[in-house]
Amino acid sequence: MSWAQFSLKYILAHPAVTCALTETTNPEHMEDNIGAAFGRLPDEATKRRMRDLVQDF
């Protein structure tokens, strides 16, 4: 739904990551970040597509 959620999903999908600290005091940002907690984490093919998408910017 947002770039923040996109980024957090990608980060949390890495097997070495057990916790992501987003460090915000803005309630709107906090709500946006929480949105990344829902749904499945991306698999390797999806992470590859995510990287390809970001490389185009």
Side-chain angles (χ1 to χ4, degrees):
M1 299 295 275
S2 72
W3 283 112
Q5 292 177 20
F6 179 92
S7 301
L8 281 170
K9 283 280 194 188
Y10 184 85
I11 292 165
L12 292 169
H14 192 285
V17 174
T18 58
C19 179
L21 302 176
T22 57
E23 301 293 327
T24 184
T25 59
N26 183 318
E28 291 175 5
H29 293 171
M30 193 178 323
E31 184 176 359
D32 188 25
N33 291 342
I34 290 170
F38 296 94
R40 297 188 329 206
L41 290 175
D43 58 14
E44 288 303 317
T46 303
K47 288 193 295 185
R48 193 173 314 110
R49 290 192 346 249
M50 293 168 85
R51 283 191 299 272
D52 291 344
L53 177 66
V54 172
Q55 288 177 358
D56 292 340
F57 284 99

Short mmCIF file of all heavy atoms in Angstrom, two decimals:
data_model
loop_
_atom_site.label_atom_id
_atom_site.label_comp_id
_atom_site.label_asym_id
_atom_site.label_seq_id
_atom_site.Cartn_x
_atom_site.Cartn_y
_atom_site.Cartn_z
N MET A 1 0.81 -1.19 0.00
CA MET A 1 0.00 0.00 0.00
C MET A 1 0.86 1.26 0.00
O MET A 1 0.39 2.29 -0.43
CB MET A 1 -0.92 0.00 1.22
CG MET A 1 -1.89 -1.19 1.27
SD MET A 1 -3.06 -1.18 -0.06
CE MET A 1 -4.29 -0.13 0.62
N SER A 2 2.10 1.19 0.51
CA SER A 2 2.97 2.37 0.57
C SER A 2 4.42 1.91 0.41
O SER A 2 4.74 0.73 0.55
CB SER A 2 2.79 3.09 1.89
OG SER A 2 3.38 2.34 2.95
N TRP A 3 5.31 2.89 0.15
CA TRP A 3 6.73 2.56 0.05
C TRP A 3 7.27 2.08 1.38
O TRP A 3 8.16 1.22 1.42
CB TRP A 3 7.52 3.75 -0.47
CG TRP A 3 7.35 3.95 -1.95
CD1 TRP A 3 6.72 4.97 -2.57
CD2 TRP A 3 7.80 3.07 -2.98
NE1 TRP A 3 6.76 4.79 -3.93
CE2 TRP A 3 7.42 3.62 -4.22
CE3 TRP A 3 8.49 1.87 -3.00
CZ2 TRP A 3 7.71 3.03 -5.44
CZ3 TRP A 3 8.78 1.27 -4.22
CH2 TRP A 3 8.38 1.85 -5.42
N ALA A 4 6.77 2.62 2.46
CA ALA A 4 7.22 2.17 3.78
C ALA A 4 6.89 0.70 3.99
O ALA A 4 7.74 -0.09 4.43
CB ALA A 4 6.59 3.02 4.88
N GLN A 5 5.69 0.31 3.65
CA GLN A 5 5.29 -1.09 3.80
C GLN A 5 6.07 -1.98 2.84
O GLN A 5 6.50 -3.08 3.20
CB GLN A 5 3.78 -1.23 3.57
CG GLN A 5 2.96 -0.59 4.65
CD GLN A 5 1.48 -0.66 4.39
OE1 GLN A 5 1.01 -1.47 3.61
NE2 GLN A 5 0.73 0.21 5.04
N PHE A 6 6.25 -1.50 1.62
CA PHE A 6 7.03 -2.23 0.61
C PHE A 6 8.43 -2.52 1.16
O PHE A 6 8.90 -3.66 1.13
CB PHE A 6 7.10 -1.36 -0.65
CG PHE A 6 7.89 -1.93 -1.78
CD1 PHE A 6 7.27 -2.69 -2.76
CD2 PHE A 6 9.25 -1.68 -1.90
CE1 PHE A 6 7.99 -3.20 -3.83
CE2 PHE A 6 9.98 -2.18 -2.97
CZ PHE A 6 9.35 -2.94 -3.94
N SER A 7 9.08 -1.49 1.68
CA SER A 7 10.44 -1.62 2.20
C SER A 7 10.51 -2.53 3.42
O SER A 7 11.40 -3.38 3.53
CB SER A 7 11.00 -0.24 2.57
OG SER A 7 11.01 0.59 1.44
N LEU A 8 9.57 -2.36 4.34
CA LEU A 8 9.57 -3.19 5.54
C LEU A 8 9.34 -4.66 5.20
O LEU A 8 9.98 -5.54 5.77
CB LEU A 8 8.52 -2.70 6.54
CG LEU A 8 8.93 -1.49 7.36
CD1 LEU A 8 7.73 -0.94 8.12
CD2 LEU A 8 10.06 -1.84 8.30
N LYS A 9 8.43 -4.94 4.27
CA LYS A 9 8.19 -6.33 3.86
C LYS A 9 9.48 -6.94 3.32
O LYS A 9 9.82 -8.08 3.63
CB LYS A 9 7.11 -6.41 2.78
CG LYS A 9 5.72 -6.25 3.28
CD LYS A 9 5.23 -7.54 3.87
CE LYS A 9 3.73 -7.44 4.06
NZ LYS A 9 3.23 -8.58 4.80
N TYR A 10 10.19 -6.19 2.49
CA TYR A 10 11.44 -6.69 1.90
C TYR A 10 12.47 -6.97 2.99
O TYR A 10 13.10 -8.02 3.02
CB TYR A 10 11.98 -5.67 0.89
CG TYR A 10 13.21 -6.16 0.19
CD1 TYR A 10 13.11 -6.96 -0.93
CD2 TYR A 10 14.48 -5.82 0.66
CE1 TYR A 10 14.24 -7.43 -1.57
CE2 TYR A 10 15.61 -6.28 0.03
CZ TYR A 10 15.49 -7.08 -1.09
OH TYR A 10 16.62 -7.55 -1.71
N ILE A 11 12.63 -6.03 3.90
CA ILE A 11 13.60 -6.18 4.99
C ILE A 11 13.23 -7.36 5.88
O ILE A 11 14.08 -8.19 6.22
CB ILE A 11 13.68 -4.89 5.81
CG1 ILE A 11 14.32 -3.78 4.97
CG2 ILE A 11 14.44 -5.10 7.11
CD1 ILE A 11 14.14 -2.39 5.54
N LEU A 12 11.99 -7.46 6.26
CA LEU A 12 11.55 -8.53 7.17
C LEU A 12 11.61 -9.90 6.52
O LEU A 12 11.65 -10.92 7.22
CB LEU A 12 10.15 -8.25 7.69
CG LEU A 12 10.05 -7.05 8.63
CD1 LEU A 12 8.60 -6.68 8.89
CD2 LEU A 12 10.78 -7.32 9.92
N ALA A 13 11.63 -9.97 5.21
CA ALA A 13 11.68 -11.26 4.51
C ALA A 13 13.09 -11.86 4.50
O ALA A 13 13.26 -13.03 4.19
CB ALA A 13 11.19 -11.10 3.08
N HIS A 14 14.09 -11.08 4.88
CA HIS A 14 15.46 -11.61 4.92
C HIS A 14 15.57 -12.56 6.11
O HIS A 14 15.17 -12.22 7.22
CB HIS A 14 16.46 -10.47 5.06
CG HIS A 14 17.86 -10.90 4.82
ND1 HIS A 14 18.58 -11.63 5.74
CD2 HIS A 14 18.66 -10.74 3.75
CE1 HIS A 14 19.78 -11.89 5.26
NE2 HIS A 14 19.85 -11.35 4.04
N PRO A 15 16.10 -13.76 5.90
CA PRO A 15 16.14 -14.75 6.97
C PRO A 15 16.96 -14.34 8.19
O PRO A 15 16.73 -14.84 9.29
CB PRO A 15 16.73 -16.00 6.31
CG PRO A 15 17.29 -15.55 5.02
CD PRO A 15 16.66 -14.26 4.65
N ALA A 16 17.91 -13.44 8.04
CA ALA A 16 18.74 -13.02 9.18
C ALA A 16 18.07 -11.93 10.02
O ALA A 16 18.53 -11.65 11.12
CB ALA A 16 20.09 -12.51 8.68
N VAL A 17 16.99 -11.36 9.52
CA VAL A 17 16.33 -10.27 10.24
C VAL A 17 15.27 -10.86 11.19
O VAL A 17 14.40 -11.61 10.76
CB VAL A 17 15.67 -9.27 9.26
CG1 VAL A 17 14.85 -8.23 10.00
CG2 VAL A 17 16.73 -8.60 8.42
N THR A 18 15.38 -10.50 12.45
CA THR A 18 14.40 -10.97 13.43
C THR A 18 13.57 -9.83 13.99
O THR A 18 12.56 -10.06 14.64
CB THR A 18 15.09 -11.71 14.59
OG1 THR A 18 16.02 -10.82 15.21
CG2 THR A 18 15.81 -12.96 14.09
N CYS A 19 14.02 -8.59 13.76
CA CYS A 19 13.32 -7.44 14.30
C CYS A 19 13.67 -6.21 13.48
O CYS A 19 14.83 -6.04 13.10
CB CYS A 19 13.72 -7.24 15.76
SG CYS A 19 12.94 -5.82 16.54
N ALA A 20 12.69 -5.38 13.21
CA ALA A 20 12.95 -4.12 12.50
C ALA A 20 12.44 -2.98 13.38
O ALA A 20 11.27 -2.95 13.75
CB ALA A 20 12.23 -4.12 11.16
N LEU A 21 13.34 -2.06 13.71
CA LEU A 21 12.96 -0.90 14.52
C LEU A 21 12.75 0.28 13.59
O LEU A 21 13.68 0.72 12.91
CB LEU A 21 14.07 -0.59 15.54
CG LEU A 21 14.41 -1.73 16.49
CD1 LEU A 21 15.58 -1.33 17.37
CD2 LEU A 21 13.21 -2.10 17.32
N THR A 22 11.55 0.79 13.55
CA THR A 22 11.24 1.86 12.60
C THR A 22 11.46 3.24 13.18
O THR A 22 11.52 4.21 12.44
CB THR A 22 9.79 1.74 12.10
OG1 THR A 22 8.91 1.77 13.21
CG2 THR A 22 9.61 0.45 11.32
N GLU A 23 11.55 3.35 14.50
CA GLU A 23 11.93 4.60 15.16
C GLU A 23 11.14 5.83 14.69
O GLU A 23 11.70 6.75 14.11
CB GLU A 23 13.42 4.86 14.98
CG GLU A 23 14.31 3.77 15.51
CD GLU A 23 14.27 3.62 17.01
OE1 GLU A 23 14.10 4.63 17.72
OE2 GLU A 23 14.41 2.48 17.49
N THR A 24 9.86 5.84 14.93
CA THR A 24 9.06 7.01 14.59
C THR A 24 8.21 7.42 15.78
O THR A 24 7.80 6.59 16.58
CB THR A 24 8.17 6.74 13.36
OG1 THR A 24 7.49 7.94 13.02
CG2 THR A 24 7.15 5.65 13.61
N THR A 25 7.96 8.70 15.87
CA THR A 25 7.03 9.21 16.88
C THR A 25 5.79 9.78 16.21
O THR A 25 4.88 10.22 16.90
CB THR A 25 7.70 10.31 17.73
OG1 THR A 25 8.13 11.36 16.88
CG2 THR A 25 8.89 9.76 18.51
N ASN A 26 5.78 9.74 14.89
CA ASN A 26 4.64 10.23 14.13
C ASN A 26 3.57 9.13 14.07
O ASN A 26 3.80 8.07 13.49
CB ASN A 26 5.10 10.62 12.73
CG ASN A 26 3.99 11.20 11.89
OD1 ASN A 26 2.87 10.73 11.90
ND2 ASN A 26 4.33 12.23 11.14
N PRO A 27 2.38 9.37 14.63
CA PRO A 27 1.34 8.33 14.65
C PRO A 27 0.92 7.87 13.25
O PRO A 27 0.63 6.69 13.06
CB PRO A 27 0.16 9.00 15.36
CG PRO A 27 0.77 10.11 16.14
CD PRO A 27 1.97 10.56 15.38
N GLU A 28 0.95 8.75 12.28
CA GLU A 28 0.58 8.35 10.91
C GLU A 28 1.62 7.41 10.32
O GLU A 28 1.27 6.43 9.65
CB GLU A 28 0.40 9.58 10.03
CG GLU A 28 -0.82 10.40 10.40
CD GLU A 28 -0.93 11.68 9.59
OE1 GLU A 28 -0.12 11.88 8.67
OE2 GLU A 28 -1.84 12.47 9.90
N HIS A 29 2.88 7.68 10.58
CA HIS A 29 3.94 6.79 10.10
C HIS A 29 3.87 5.45 10.82
O HIS A 29 4.09 4.41 10.22
CB HIS A 29 5.31 7.43 10.33
CG HIS A 29 5.56 8.63 9.48
ND1 HIS A 29 6.65 9.44 9.67
CD2 HIS A 29 4.86 9.19 8.47
CE1 HIS A 29 6.62 10.42 8.80
NE2 HIS A 29 5.53 10.30 8.06
N MET A 30 3.57 5.50 12.11
CA MET A 30 3.44 4.27 12.88
C MET A 30 2.33 3.39 12.33
O MET A 30 2.52 2.18 12.14
CB MET A 30 3.17 4.61 14.35
CG MET A 30 3.33 3.44 15.29
SD MET A 30 3.06 3.86 17.04
CE MET A 30 3.76 5.47 17.21
N GLU A 31 1.20 3.99 12.02
CA GLU A 31 0.08 3.23 11.46
C GLU A 31 0.46 2.64 10.10
O GLU A 31 0.14 1.50 9.80
CB GLU A 31 -1.13 4.15 11.32
CG GLU A 31 -2.37 3.43 10.84
CD GLU A 31 -3.58 4.34 10.80
OE1 GLU A 31 -3.46 5.53 11.15
OE2 GLU A 31 -4.64 3.86 10.39
N ASP A 32 1.16 3.41 9.29
CA ASP A 32 1.61 2.93 7.99
C ASP A 32 2.56 1.74 8.16
O ASP A 32 2.42 0.72 7.49
CB ASP A 32 2.29 4.06 7.23
CG ASP A 32 2.62 3.71 5.79
OD1 ASP A 32 1.96 2.82 5.21
OD2 ASP A 32 3.53 4.33 5.24
N ASN A 33 3.51 1.85 9.08
CA ASN A 33 4.46 0.77 9.32
C ASN A 33 3.76 -0.50 9.79
O ASN A 33 4.14 -1.60 9.40
CB ASN A 33 5.51 1.19 10.35
CG ASN A 33 6.44 2.25 9.82
OD1 ASN A 33 6.55 2.47 8.62
ND2 ASN A 33 7.09 2.96 10.73
N ILE A 34 2.76 -0.37 10.61
CA ILE A 34 2.02 -1.53 11.11
C ILE A 34 1.37 -2.29 9.96
O ILE A 34 1.25 -3.52 10.00
CB ILE A 34 0.97 -1.11 12.16
CG1 ILE A 34 1.70 -0.66 13.44
CG2 ILE A 34 -0.02 -2.22 12.46
CD1 ILE A 34 0.79 0.00 14.46
N GLY A 35 1.01 -1.58 8.91
CA GLY A 35 0.41 -2.23 7.75
C GLY A 35 1.30 -3.29 7.13
O GLY A 35 0.82 -4.23 6.50
N ALA A 36 2.60 -3.18 7.31
CA ALA A 36 3.53 -4.18 6.78
C ALA A 36 3.46 -5.50 7.52
O ALA A 36 3.95 -6.52 7.04
CB ALA A 36 4.96 -3.65 6.81
N ALA A 37 2.83 -5.52 8.67
CA ALA A 37 2.73 -6.74 9.47
C ALA A 37 1.66 -7.69 8.95
O ALA A 37 1.59 -8.83 9.40
CB ALA A 37 2.44 -6.40 10.92
N PHE A 38 0.85 -7.25 8.02
CA PHE A 38 -0.24 -8.07 7.52
C PHE A 38 0.11 -8.67 6.17
O PHE A 38 0.85 -8.08 5.38
CB PHE A 38 -1.52 -7.24 7.43
CG PHE A 38 -1.99 -6.75 8.76
CD1 PHE A 38 -1.62 -5.50 9.22
CD2 PHE A 38 -2.77 -7.56 9.58
CE1 PHE A 38 -2.02 -5.04 10.46
CE2 PHE A 38 -3.17 -7.12 10.83
CZ PHE A 38 -2.80 -5.86 11.26
N GLY A 39 -0.41 -9.86 5.91
CA GLY A 39 -0.14 -10.54 4.65
C GLY A 39 1.14 -11.34 4.73
O GLY A 39 1.86 -11.32 5.72
N ARG A 40 1.41 -12.03 3.65
CA ARG A 40 2.60 -12.90 3.61
C ARG A 40 3.84 -12.10 3.28
O ARG A 40 3.79 -11.08 2.60
CB ARG A 40 2.40 -13.98 2.55
CG ARG A 40 1.25 -14.91 2.89
CD ARG A 40 1.13 -16.09 1.99
NE ARG A 40 1.59 -15.87 0.62
CZ ARG A 40 1.15 -16.54 -0.41
NH1 ARG A 40 0.22 -17.44 -0.26
NH2 ARG A 40 1.64 -16.31 -1.61
N LEU A 41 4.96 -12.60 3.75
CA LEU A 41 6.24 -12.01 3.38
C LEU A 41 6.58 -12.45 1.94
O LEU A 41 6.18 -13.53 1.51
CB LEU A 41 7.34 -12.48 4.33
CG LEU A 41 7.27 -11.94 5.75
CD1 LEU A 41 8.35 -12.58 6.61
CD2 LEU A 41 7.42 -10.43 5.76
N PRO A 42 7.32 -11.61 1.22
CA PRO A 42 7.66 -11.98 -0.15
C PRO A 42 8.61 -13.17 -0.21
O PRO A 42 9.52 -13.29 0.61
CB PRO A 42 8.32 -10.71 -0.71
CG PRO A 42 8.74 -9.94 0.48
CD PRO A 42 7.81 -10.30 1.59
N ASP A 43 8.40 -14.02 -1.21
CA ASP A 43 9.32 -15.13 -1.44
C ASP A 43 10.48 -14.61 -2.30
O ASP A 43 10.54 -13.43 -2.65
CB ASP A 43 8.61 -16.31 -2.08
CG ASP A 43 7.95 -15.96 -3.41
OD1 ASP A 43 8.26 -14.89 -3.98
OD2 ASP A 43 7.13 -16.76 -3.89
N GLU A 44 11.40 -15.49 -2.66
CA GLU A 44 12.59 -15.06 -3.42
C GLU A 44 12.22 -14.45 -4.76
O GLU A 44 12.80 -13.44 -5.17
CB GLU A 44 13.56 -16.23 -3.60
CG GLU A 44 14.28 -16.62 -2.34
CD GLU A 44 15.05 -15.48 -1.71
OE1 GLU A 44 15.72 -14.72 -2.43
OE2 GLU A 44 14.98 -15.33 -0.47
N ALA A 45 11.27 -15.02 -5.46
CA ALA A 45 10.87 -14.48 -6.76
C ALA A 45 10.26 -13.09 -6.60
O ALA A 45 10.54 -12.18 -7.39
CB ALA A 45 9.88 -15.42 -7.44
N THR A 46 9.45 -12.91 -5.57
CA THR A 46 8.84 -11.60 -5.33
C THR A 46 9.89 -10.59 -4.92
O THR A 46 9.87 -9.44 -5.37
CB THR A 46 7.75 -11.71 -4.27
OG1 THR A 46 6.79 -12.69 -4.69
CG2 THR A 46 7.06 -10.39 -4.03
N LYS A 47 10.85 -10.99 -4.09
CA LYS A 47 11.92 -10.07 -3.69
C LYS A 47 12.74 -9.65 -4.91
O LYS A 47 13.16 -8.49 -5.02
CB LYS A 47 12.81 -10.70 -2.62
CG LYS A 47 12.13 -10.78 -1.26
CD LYS A 47 13.09 -11.11 -0.17
CE LYS A 47 13.68 -12.48 -0.33
NZ LYS A 47 14.53 -12.87 0.80
N ARG A 48 12.96 -10.56 -5.86
CA ARG A 48 13.68 -10.23 -7.08
C ARG A 48 12.90 -9.17 -7.87
O ARG A 48 13.48 -8.19 -8.36
CB ARG A 48 13.88 -11.49 -7.92
CG ARG A 48 14.86 -11.34 -9.05
CD ARG A 48 15.15 -12.66 -9.78
NE ARG A 48 15.40 -13.77 -8.88
CZ ARG A 48 14.57 -14.82 -8.70
NH1 ARG A 48 13.43 -14.88 -9.33
NH2 ARG A 48 14.88 -15.78 -7.87
N ARG A 49 11.59 -9.35 -7.98
CA ARG A 49 10.76 -8.36 -8.68
C ARG A 49 10.78 -7.02 -7.94
O ARG A 49 10.77 -5.96 -8.57
CB ARG A 49 9.32 -8.87 -8.83
CG ARG A 49 9.22 -10.01 -9.81
CD ARG A 49 7.82 -10.40 -10.24
NE ARG A 49 6.72 -9.90 -9.46
CZ ARG A 49 5.93 -10.62 -8.68
NH1 ARG A 49 6.13 -11.91 -8.56
NH2 ARG A 49 4.92 -10.06 -8.05
N MET A 50 10.79 -7.06 -6.62
CA MET A 50 10.85 -5.82 -5.83
C MET A 50 12.16 -5.08 -6.11
O MET A 50 12.16 -3.86 -6.30
CB MET A 50 10.71 -6.14 -4.34
CG MET A 50 9.35 -6.66 -3.94
SD MET A 50 9.32 -7.33 -2.27
CE MET A 50 9.02 -5.82 -1.33
N ARG A 51 13.27 -5.82 -6.15
CA ARG A 51 14.56 -5.19 -6.45
C ARG A 51 14.57 -4.59 -7.84
O ARG A 51 15.05 -3.48 -8.05
CB ARG A 51 15.70 -6.23 -6.33
CG ARG A 51 16.09 -6.56 -4.92
CD ARG A 51 17.37 -7.36 -4.86
NE ARG A 51 17.30 -8.64 -5.55
CZ ARG A 51 16.88 -9.79 -5.00
NH1 ARG A 51 16.51 -9.82 -3.74
NH2 ARG A 51 16.84 -10.90 -5.68
N ASP A 52 14.02 -5.32 -8.80
CA ASP A 52 13.95 -4.81 -10.18
C ASP A 52 13.14 -3.52 -10.25
O ASP A 52 13.50 -2.60 -10.96
CB ASP A 52 13.35 -5.86 -11.12
CG ASP A 52 14.26 -7.06 -11.32
OD1 ASP A 52 15.46 -6.98 -11.00
OD2 ASP A 52 13.75 -8.10 -11.80
N LEU A 53 12.06 -3.48 -9.52
CA LEU A 53 11.21 -2.28 -9.52
C LEU A 53 11.96 -1.08 -8.97
O LEU A 53 11.93 0.00 -9.54
CB LEU A 53 9.93 -2.53 -8.70
CG LEU A 53 9.00 -1.35 -8.54
CD1 LEU A 53 8.40 -0.97 -9.89
CD2 LEU A 53 7.92 -1.66 -7.55
N VAL A 54 12.68 -1.27 -7.88
CA VAL A 54 13.39 -0.16 -7.24
C VAL A 54 14.57 0.29 -8.11
O VAL A 54 14.88 1.49 -8.16
CB VAL A 54 13.86 -0.56 -5.83
CG1 VAL A 54 14.75 0.47 -5.22
CG2 VAL A 54 12.64 -0.82 -4.95
N GLN A 55 15.20 -0.62 -8.81
CA GLN A 55 16.33 -0.26 -9.66
C GLN A 55 15.92 0.66 -10.80
O GLN A 55 16.75 1.39 -11.34
CB GLN A 55 17.01 -1.51 -10.21
CG GLN A 55 17.79 -2.26 -9.16
CD GLN A 55 18.40 -3.53 -9.69
OE1 GLN A 55 18.21 -3.89 -10.86
NE2 GLN A 55 19.11 -4.23 -8.85
N ASP A 56 14.64 0.66 -11.17
CA ASP A 56 14.15 1.51 -12.25
C ASP A 56 14.04 2.97 -11.83
O ASP A 56 13.83 3.83 -12.67
CB ASP A 56 12.80 1.01 -12.76
CG ASP A 56 12.91 -0.33 -13.48
OD1 ASP A 56 14.03 -0.67 -13.92
OD2 ASP A 56 11.88 -1.02 -13.62
N PHE A 57 14.17 3.26 -10.53
CA PHE A 57 14.03 4.65 -10.06
C PHE A 57 15.33 5.37 -10.08
O PHE A 57 16.34 5.11 -9.82
CB PHE A 57 13.42 4.70 -8.65
CG PHE A 57 11.97 4.43 -8.66
CD1 PHE A 57 11.47 3.18 -8.37
CD2 PHE A 57 11.07 5.44 -8.99
CE1 PHE A 57 10.12 2.93 -8.38
CE2 PHE A 57 9.70 5.21 -8.99
CZ PHE A 57 9.23 3.96 -8.69
#
